[in-house]
């Protein structure tokens, strides 16, 4: 344990305590003893200053550059030092991650410091301090919580979310995390970016649309130019390792340029750019659906609609869950309107655990609702239970086309959808006032960007595989689009053969 004399270094207590309360860098370096590897750097102080100016701060920072240590551990400790009765929630993806992450490190700083132990540790700490929460003698409560709906049971003055771009259910943040904050409180989101469809990407999109206005976004890159500016002016996809050799590191004591660039060869360009320059290049080189094509299809003025356009033809894609269980796909039904060679998604729904009669009845209801004189067609996956559903629908007089799902047929569906997206022939509603359209377009974006080309080492042939957890919505859309193109040629050239 660091003794008081060692911490004060001959400084008067009154002056020392005042400096700690008013100077975050001083508090970290002198009270906490963080003085190795150059102490607190300018880029870290930039993070801190944003928390003093904004209620919501989103920090994208390189892996290994102390983003969690500074903003998830030292910052809440500083706020605790200068205040009383704070409630702080530390959010991690899972409880197990949290137990060994921020809270344990906060406790470590306190228990290794004679002043902080005196300030914070109550007499009953041995029994009241545990791996999920602590209560200090001056009224602070710090709780470690996993990122799930159970966060609804808590409220806080400060909420710190670690590695937020790894969170898979982004709706949990918008519905349950943001509502847990006391008025005037702060939310700090920390992460190395993972992908364009994750939480940080969604927040940036909402900010660009003017839907959210109290967020500050900070992207910290490991390398900058010699004069401290951005390391490059070209697009991230055009950057080569040679272009970065004359840059300087923002943390040279721990991450010299040579050490950083050594990682390039080990990780590959795309992963290196994401982990150290926080550049989420929209897709890998083997992507089928370029992110920009997907984004270009979004229409922020459109919502889902039940209104019938009598001049349109409707196509309903139905992809059925293969099996039951927690990891099974969903039944996905997509309603697509085609008018003047333009496809517009007007409705989407997913269901889990539905038995055959429910599937049949719901598809029949959709088919009857979206009827026009030009006709309405259901195209359905014929594999597994699909054949029985198709037969049942046909017995009810419903127009159904059976879709083969063997590898070649599946590839053809996805290539057709990619071609239509590239040709700007598909519109995806994404009105900020339509929660269902928002969820659909986000889920579809996640599924489409998960498709990859894969070349067989034996035959040299290319196939398409999904790296996303599910592909049901994407396949339902692909079936509807593919069937729609058969009814009238759109004149779109293929993306790849």
């Amino acid at each position: 344990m660091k003794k008081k004399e060692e911490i004060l270094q001959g400084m008067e207590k009154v002056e020392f305590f005042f400096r700690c309360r008013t100077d975050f860098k001083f508090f970290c370096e002198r009270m906490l003893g963080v003085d190795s590897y150059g102490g607190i750097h300018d880029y870290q102080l930039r993070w801190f200053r944003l928390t003093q100016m904004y209620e919501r701060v989103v920090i994208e920072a390189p892996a290994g550059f102390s983003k969690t240590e500074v903003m998830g551990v030292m910052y809440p400790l500083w706020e605790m030092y200068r205040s009383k009765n704070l409630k702080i929630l530390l959010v991690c993806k899972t409880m197990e991650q949290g137990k060994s992450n921020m809270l344990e490190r906060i406790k470590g700083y306190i228990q290794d410091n004679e002043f902080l132990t005196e300030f914070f540790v109550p007499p009953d700490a041995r029994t009241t301090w545990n791996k999920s929460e602590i209560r200090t003698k001056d009224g602070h409560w710090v709780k470690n919580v996993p990122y799930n709906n159970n966060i609804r049971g808590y409220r806080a003055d400060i909420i710190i979310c670690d590695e937020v771009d790894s969170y898979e259910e982004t709706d949990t943040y918008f519905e349950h995390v943001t509502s847990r904050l006391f008025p005037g409180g702060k939310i700090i989101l920390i992460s190395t970016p993972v992908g364009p469809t994750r939480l940080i990407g969604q927040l940036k999109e909402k900010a660009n649309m003017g839907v959210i206005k109290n967020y500050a976004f900070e992207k910290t890159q490991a390398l900058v130019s010699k004069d401290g500016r951005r390391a490059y002016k070209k697009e991230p996809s055009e950057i080569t390792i040679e272009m970065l050799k004359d840059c300087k590191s923002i943390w040279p004591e721990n991450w010299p340029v040579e050490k950083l660039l050594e990682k390039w060869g080990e990780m590959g360009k795309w992963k290196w750019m994401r982990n150290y320059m926080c550049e989420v290049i929209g897709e890998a080189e083997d992507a089928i659906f370029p992110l920009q094509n997907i984004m270009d299809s979004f229409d922020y003025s459109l919502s889902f609609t039940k209104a019938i356009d009598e001049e349109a033809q409707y196509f309903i894609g139905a992809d059925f869950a293969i099996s039951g269980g927690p990891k099974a796909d969903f039944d996905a039904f997509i309603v697509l309107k085609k008018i003047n060679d333009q496809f517009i998604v007007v409705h989407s729904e997913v269901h889990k655990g539905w038995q055959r009669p429910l599937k049949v009845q719901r598809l029949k209801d959709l088919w009857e609702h979206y009827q026009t004189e030009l006709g309405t067609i259901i195209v359905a996956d014929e594999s597994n239970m699909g054949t029985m559903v198709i037969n049942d629908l046909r017995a009810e007089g419903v127009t159904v086309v059976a879709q083969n799902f063997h590898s070649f047929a599946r590839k053809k569906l996805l290539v057709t959808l990619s071609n239509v997206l590239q040709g700007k022939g598909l519109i995806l509603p994404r009105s900020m006032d339509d929660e269902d359209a928002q969820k659909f377009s986000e889920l579809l974006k996640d599924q489409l960007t998960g498709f990859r080309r894969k070349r067989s080492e034996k035959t040299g042939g290319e196939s398409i595989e999904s790296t996303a957890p599910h592909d049901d919505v994407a396949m339902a859309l692909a079936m509807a689009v593919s069937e729609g193109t058969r009814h009238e040629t759109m004149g779109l050239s293929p993306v790849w053969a």
Side-chain angles (χ1 to χ4, degrees), residues 465-496:
E465 294 186 356
S466 174
T467 61
H470 302 285
D471 62 6
D472 35 40
V473 172
M475 293 311 302
L477 177 62
M479 284 189 285
V481 167
S482 180
E483 183 63 26
T485 61
R486 294 190 183 101
H487 287 254
E488 184 174 345
T489 302
M490 297 185 71
L492 296 169
S493 59
V495 178
W496 57 283

mmCIF file of all heavy atoms in Angstrom, residues 465-496:
data_model
loop_
_atom_site.group_PDB
_atom_site.id
_atom_site.type_symbol
_atom_site.label_atom_id
_atom_site.label_comp_id
_atom_site.label_asym_id
_atom_site.label_seq_id
_atom_site.Cartn_x
_atom_site.Cartn_y
_atom_site.Cartn_z
ATOM 1 N N GLU A 465 -20.866 -17.642 -48.229
ATOM 2 C CA GLU A 465 -21.150 -18.097 -46.869
ATOM 3 C C GLU A 465 -21.474 -16.901 -45.993
ATOM 4 O O GLU A 465 -20.975 -15.795 -46.217
ATOM 5 C CB GLU A 465 -19.964 -18.873 -46.291
ATOM 6 C CG GLU A 465 -19.686 -20.184 -47.000
ATOM 7 C CD GLU A 465 -18.587 -20.985 -46.310
ATOM 8 O OE1 GLU A 465 -18.003 -20.463 -45.333
ATOM 9 O OE2 GLU A 465 -18.322 -22.112 -46.760
ATOM 10 N N SER A 466 -22.283 -17.136 -44.982
ATOM 11 C CA SER A 466 -22.641 -16.074 -44.048
ATOM 12 C C SER A 466 -21.815 -16.188 -42.776
ATOM 13 O O SER A 466 -21.701 -17.271 -42.195
ATOM 14 C CB SER A 466 -24.129 -16.141 -43.685
ATOM 15 O OG SER A 466 -24.441 -15.197 -42.679
ATOM 16 N N THR A 467 -21.247 -15.072 -42.341
ATOM 17 C CA THR A 467 -20.515 -15.029 -41.080
ATOM 18 C C THR A 467 -21.342 -14.400 -39.968
ATOM 19 O O THR A 467 -20.888 -14.293 -38.841
ATOM 20 C CB THR A 467 -19.211 -14.224 -41.250
ATOM 21 O OG1 THR A 467 -19.530 -12.874 -41.636
ATOM 22 C CG2 THR A 467 -18.316 -14.851 -42.315
ATOM 23 N N ALA A 468 -22.560 -13.966 -40.309
ATOM 24 C CA ALA A 468 -23.457 -13.376 -39.309
ATOM 25 C C ALA A 468 -24.173 -14.483 -38.546
ATOM 26 O O ALA A 468 -24.295 -15.612 -39.034
ATOM 27 C CB ALA A 468 -24.473 -12.464 -39.986
ATOM 28 N N PRO A 469 -24.659 -14.194 -37.335
ATOM 29 C CA PRO A 469 -25.372 -15.215 -36.562
ATOM 30 C C PRO A 469 -26.593 -15.766 -37.290
ATOM 31 O O PRO A 469 -26.916 -16.943 -37.158
ATOM 32 C CB PRO A 469 -25.779 -14.474 -35.276
ATOM 33 C CG PRO A 469 -24.819 -13.332 -35.160
ATOM 34 C CD PRO A 469 -24.507 -12.932 -36.568
ATOM 35 N N HIS A 470 -27.290 -14.931 -38.051
ATOM 36 C CA HIS A 470 -28.485 -15.343 -38.780
ATOM 37 C C HIS A 470 -28.484 -14.689 -40.162
ATOM 38 O O HIS A 470 -27.848 -13.661 -40.374
ATOM 39 C CB HIS A 470 -29.757 -14.951 -38.033
ATOM 40 C CG HIS A 470 -29.845 -15.515 -36.650
ATOM 41 N ND1 HIS A 470 -30.133 -16.833 -36.402
ATOM 42 C CD2 HIS A 470 -29.668 -14.928 -35.441
ATOM 43 C CE1 HIS A 470 -30.127 -17.046 -35.097
ATOM 44 N NE2 HIS A 470 -29.844 -15.911 -34.494
ATOM 45 N N ASP A 471 -29.229 -15.300 -41.084
ATOM 46 C CA ASP A 471 -29.355 -14.708 -42.417
ATOM 47 C C ASP A 471 -30.793 -14.763 -42.924
ATOM 48 O O ASP A 471 -31.061 -14.577 -44.100
ATOM 49 C CB ASP A 471 -28.422 -15.408 -43.408
ATOM 50 C CG ASP A 471 -28.756 -16.891 -43.591
ATOM 51 O OD1 ASP A 471 -29.771 -17.360 -43.041
ATOM 52 O OD2 ASP A 471 -27.986 -17.584 -44.293
ATOM 53 N N ASP A 472 -31.745 -15.012 -42.025
ATOM 54 C CA ASP A 472 -33.128 -15.261 -42.424
ATOM 55 C C ASP A 472 -33.787 -14.074 -43.110
ATOM 56 O O ASP A 472 -34.461 -14.220 -44.134
ATOM 57 C CB ASP A 472 -33.957 -15.698 -41.207
ATOM 58 C CG ASP A 472 -33.524 -15.008 -39.930
ATOM 59 O OD1 ASP A 472 -33.214 -13.799 -39.985
ATOM 60 O OD2 ASP A 472 -33.466 -15.681 -38.884
ATOM 61 N N VAL A 473 -33.610 -12.867 -42.578
ATOM 62 C CA VAL A 473 -34.226 -11.680 -43.168
ATOM 63 C C VAL A 473 -33.623 -11.403 -44.543
ATOM 64 O O VAL A 473 -34.337 -11.090 -45.497
ATOM 65 C CB VAL A 473 -34.050 -10.463 -42.234
ATOM 66 C CG1 VAL A 473 -34.507 -9.181 -42.920
ATOM 67 C CG2 VAL A 473 -34.844 -10.674 -40.943
ATOM 68 N N ALA A 474 -32.302 -11.533 -44.640
ATOM 69 C CA ALA A 474 -31.626 -11.297 -45.918
ATOM 70 C C ALA A 474 -32.103 -12.284 -46.984
ATOM 71 O O ALA A 474 -32.338 -11.907 -48.142
ATOM 72 C CB ALA A 474 -30.118 -11.399 -45.740
ATOM 73 N N MET A 475 -32.273 -13.551 -46.607
ATOM 74 C CA MET A 475 -32.691 -14.556 -47.590
ATOM 75 C C MET A 475 -34.151 -14.357 -47.998
ATOM 76 O O MET A 475 -34.516 -14.574 -49.156
ATOM 77 C CB MET A 475 -32.481 -15.955 -47.036
ATOM 78 C CG MET A 475 -31.006 -16.333 -46.833
ATOM 79 S SD MET A 475 -29.940 -15.986 -48.256
ATOM 80 C CE MET A 475 -30.736 -16.945 -49.542
ATOM 81 N N ALA A 476 -34.993 -13.953 -47.053
ATOM 82 C CA ALA A 476 -36.386 -13.669 -47.409
ATOM 83 C C ALA A 476 -36.454 -12.523 -48.408
ATOM 84 O O ALA A 476 -37.209 -12.567 -49.390
ATOM 85 C CB ALA A 476 -37.197 -13.337 -46.155
ATOM 86 N N LEU A 477 -35.647 -11.490 -48.177
ATOM 87 C CA LEU A 477 -35.604 -10.369 -49.115
ATOM 88 C C LEU A 477 -35.048 -10.814 -50.467
ATOM 89 O O LEU A 477 -35.583 -10.430 -51.522
ATOM 90 C CB LEU A 477 -34.740 -9.244 -48.539
ATOM 91 C CG LEU A 477 -34.543 -8.030 -49.442
ATOM 92 C CD1 LEU A 477 -35.879 -7.354 -49.733
ATOM 93 C CD2 LEU A 477 -33.564 -7.043 -48.813
ATOM 94 N N ALA A 478 -33.987 -11.619 -50.447
ATOM 95 C CA ALA A 478 -33.387 -12.078 -51.697
ATOM 96 C C ALA A 478 -34.383 -12.870 -52.538
ATOM 97 O O ALA A 478 -34.427 -12.733 -53.769
ATOM 98 C CB ALA A 478 -32.144 -12.926 -51.399
ATOM 99 N N MET A 479 -35.188 -13.701 -51.887
ATOM 100 C CA MET A 479 -36.195 -14.469 -52.632
ATOM 101 C C MET A 479 -37.235 -13.557 -53.273
ATOM 102 O O MET A 479 -37.615 -13.737 -54.435
ATOM 103 C CB MET A 479 -36.875 -15.476 -51.688
ATOM 104 C CG MET A 479 -36.018 -16.682 -51.369
ATOM 105 S SD MET A 479 -36.924 -17.971 -50.463
ATOM 106 C CE MET A 479 -37.001 -17.249 -48.834
ATOM 107 N N ALA A 480 -37.706 -12.569 -52.522
ATOM 108 C CA ALA A 480 -38.720 -11.661 -53.055
ATOM 109 C C ALA A 480 -38.158 -10.839 -54.215
ATOM 110 O O ALA A 480 -38.822 -10.666 -55.250
ATOM 111 C CB ALA A 480 -39.228 -10.738 -51.944
ATOM 112 N N VAL A 481 -36.936 -10.338 -54.064
ATOM 113 C CA VAL A 481 -36.325 -9.542 -55.123
ATOM 114 C C VAL A 481 -36.086 -10.385 -56.366
ATOM 115 O O VAL A 481 -36.375 -9.973 -57.500
ATOM 116 C CB VAL A 481 -34.998 -8.920 -54.633
ATOM 117 C CG1 VAL A 481 -34.200 -8.357 -55.800
ATOM 118 C CG2 VAL A 481 -35.273 -7.826 -53.613
ATOM 119 N N SER A 482 -35.545 -11.590 -56.171
ATOM 120 C CA SER A 482 -35.249 -12.459 -57.305
ATOM 121 C C SER A 482 -36.513 -12.787 -58.098
ATOM 122 O O SER A 482 -36.523 -12.741 -59.334
ATOM 123 C CB SER A 482 -34.582 -13.753 -56.820
ATOM 124 O OG SER A 482 -34.288 -14.604 -57.894
ATOM 125 N N GLU A 483 -37.597 -13.104 -57.397
ATOM 126 C CA GLU A 483 -38.854 -13.395 -58.084
ATOM 127 C C GLU A 483 -39.361 -12.164 -58.823
ATOM 128 O O GLU A 483 -39.872 -12.252 -59.951
ATOM 129 C CB GLU A 483 -39.902 -13.875 -57.077
ATOM 130 C CG GLU A 483 -41.231 -14.268 -57.689
ATOM 131 C CD GLU A 483 -41.117 -15.446 -58.646
ATOM 132 O OE1 GLU A 483 -40.184 -16.263 -58.506
ATOM 133 O OE2 GLU A 483 -41.983 -15.544 -59.555
ATOM 134 N N GLY A 484 -39.176 -10.989 -58.206
ATOM 135 C CA GLY A 484 -39.617 -9.757 -58.849
ATOM 136 C C GLY A 484 -38.878 -9.474 -60.141
ATOM 137 O O GLY A 484 -39.464 -8.987 -61.114
ATOM 138 N N THR A 485 -37.594 -9.790 -60.175
ATOM 139 C CA THR A 485 -36.820 -9.528 -61.400
ATOM 140 C C THR A 485 -37.242 -10.441 -62.541
ATOM 141 O O THR A 485 -37.019 -10.114 -63.706
ATOM 142 C CB THR A 485 -35.306 -9.710 -61.149
ATOM 143 O OG1 THR A 485 -35.048 -11.060 -60.738
ATOM 144 C CG2 THR A 485 -34.808 -8.748 -60.081
ATOM 145 N N ARG A 486 -37.823 -11.597 -62.242
ATOM 146 C CA ARG A 486 -38.262 -12.521 -63.294
ATOM 147 C C ARG A 486 -39.472 -11.995 -64.044
ATOM 148 O O ARG A 486 -39.753 -12.412 -65.161
ATOM 149 C CB ARG A 486 -38.595 -13.888 -62.697
ATOM 150 C CG ARG A 486 -37.390 -14.623 -62.124
ATOM 151 C CD ARG A 486 -37.755 -16.056 -61.778
ATOM 152 N NE ARG A 486 -36.631 -16.748 -61.168
ATOM 153 C CZ ARG A 486 -36.492 -16.968 -59.869
ATOM 154 N NH1 ARG A 486 -37.417 -16.548 -59.044
ATOM 155 N NH2 ARG A 486 -35.438 -17.605 -59.403
ATOM 156 N N HIS A 487 -40.209 -11.113 -63.394
ATOM 157 C CA HIS A 487 -41.448 -10.628 -64.000
ATOM 158 C C HIS A 487 -41.233 -9.430 -64.904
ATOM 159 O O HIS A 487 -42.093 -9.087 -65.679
ATOM 160 C CB HIS A 487 -42.466 -10.290 -62.904
ATOM 161 C CG HIS A 487 -43.028 -11.522 -62.260
ATOM 162 N ND1 HIS A 487 -44.297 -11.962 -62.514
ATOM 163 C CD2 HIS A 487 -42.474 -12.416 -61.403
ATOM 164 C CE1 HIS A 487 -44.512 -13.086 -61.823
ATOM 165 N NE2 HIS A 487 -43.419 -13.373 -61.147
ATOM 166 N N GLU A 488 -40.079 -8.797 -64.779
ATOM 167 C CA GLU A 488 -39.752 -7.717 -65.695
ATOM 168 C C GLU A 488 -38.268 -7.443 -65.582
ATOM 169 O O GLU A 488 -37.752 -7.202 -64.495
ATOM 170 C CB GLU A 488 -40.539 -6.446 -65.360
ATOM 171 C CG GLU A 488 -40.306 -5.329 -66.354
ATOM 172 C CD GLU A 488 -41.200 -4.127 -66.076
ATOM 173 O OE1 GLU A 488 -42.163 -4.280 -65.304
ATOM 174 O OE2 GLU A 488 -40.921 -3.063 -66.623
ATOM 175 N N THR A 489 -37.554 -7.473 -66.673
ATOM 176 C CA THR A 489 -36.116 -7.278 -66.663
ATOM 177 C C THR A 489 -35.769 -5.862 -66.245
ATOM 178 O O THR A 489 -36.330 -4.893 -66.758
ATOM 179 C CB THR A 489 -35.516 -7.552 -68.059
ATOM 180 O OG1 THR A 489 -35.846 -8.874 -68.434
ATOM 181 C CG2 THR A 489 -34.007 -7.385 -68.031
ATOM 182 N N MET A 490 -34.826 -5.755 -65.313
ATOM 183 C CA MET A 490 -34.416 -4.443 -64.815
ATOM 184 C C MET A 490 -33.131 -3.948 -65.490
ATOM 185 O O MET A 490 -32.670 -2.848 -65.253
ATOM 186 C CB MET A 490 -34.210 -4.492 -63.301
ATOM 187 C CG MET A 490 -35.467 -4.826 -62.542
ATOM 188 S SD MET A 490 -35.237 -4.752 -60.773
ATOM 189 C CE MET A 490 -35.086 -2.995 -60.535
ATOM 190 N N GLY A 491 -32.497 -4.819 -66.310
ATOM 191 C CA GLY A 491 -31.320 -4.378 -67.035
ATOM 192 C C GLY A 491 -30.123 -4.094 -66.165
ATOM 193 O O GLY A 491 -29.371 -3.148 -66.394
ATOM 194 N N LEU A 492 -29.912 -4.892 -65.129
ATOM 195 C CA LEU A 492 -28.796 -4.681 -64.219
ATOM 196 C C LEU A 492 -27.655 -5.629 -64.558
ATOM 197 O O LEU A 492 -27.871 -6.806 -64.746
ATOM 198 C CB LEU A 492 -29.247 -4.916 -62.769
ATOM 199 C CG LEU A 492 -30.311 -3.940 -62.259
ATOM 200 C CD1 LEU A 492 -30.859 -4.444 -60.937
ATOM 201 C CD2 LEU A 492 -29.726 -2.566 -62.099
ATOM 202 N N SER A 493 -26.468 -5.102 -64.618
ATOM 203 C CA SER A 493 -25.301 -5.949 -64.899
ATOM 204 C C SER A 493 -24.832 -6.615 -63.626
ATOM 205 O O SER A 493 -24.971 -6.055 -62.540
ATOM 206 C CB SER A 493 -24.169 -5.113 -65.478
ATOM 207 O OG SER A 493 -23.810 -4.089 -64.559
ATOM 208 N N PRO A 494 -24.260 -7.806 -63.700
ATOM 209 C CA PRO A 494 -23.815 -8.495 -62.497
ATOM 210 C C PRO A 494 -22.604 -7.830 -61.859
ATOM 211 O O PRO A 494 -21.792 -7.219 -62.537
ATOM 212 C CB PRO A 494 -23.464 -9.899 -63.007
ATOM 213 C CG PRO A 494 -23.136 -9.700 -64.448
ATOM 214 C CD PRO A 494 -24.023 -8.591 -64.917
ATOM 215 N N VAL A 495 -22.516 -7.985 -60.525
ATOM 216 C CA VAL A 495 -21.350 -7.492 -59.795
ATOM 217 C C VAL A 495 -20.161 -8.399 -60.042
ATOM 218 O O VAL A 495 -19.044 -7.964 -60.222
ATOM 219 C CB VAL A 495 -21.667 -7.418 -58.285
ATOM 220 C CG1 VAL A 495 -20.445 -6.945 -57.517
ATOM 221 C CG2 VAL A 495 -22.817 -6.483 -58.036
ATOM 222 N N TRP A 496 -20.413 -9.675 -60.037
ATOM 223 C CA TRP A 496 -19.343 -10.646 -60.307
ATOM 224 C C TRP A 496 -19.987 -11.918 -60.836
ATOM 225 O O TRP A 496 -21.150 -12.182 -60.571
ATOM 226 C CB TRP A 496 -18.505 -10.935 -59.050
ATOM 227 C CG TRP A 496 -19.292 -11.427 -57.906
ATOM 228 C CD1 TRP A 496 -20.096 -10.689 -57.059
ATOM 229 C CD2 TRP A 496 -19.410 -12.751 -57.419
ATOM 230 N NE1 TRP A 496 -20.664 -11.465 -56.114
ATOM 231 C CE2 TRP A 496 -20.268 -12.743 -56.293
ATOM 232 C CE3 TRP A 496 -18.857 -13.981 -57.818
ATOM 233 C CZ2 TRP A 496 -20.571 -13.896 -55.584
ATOM 234 C CZ3 TRP A 496 -19.166 -15.104 -57.099
ATOM 235 C CH2 TRP A 496 -20.019 -15.049 -55.978
#
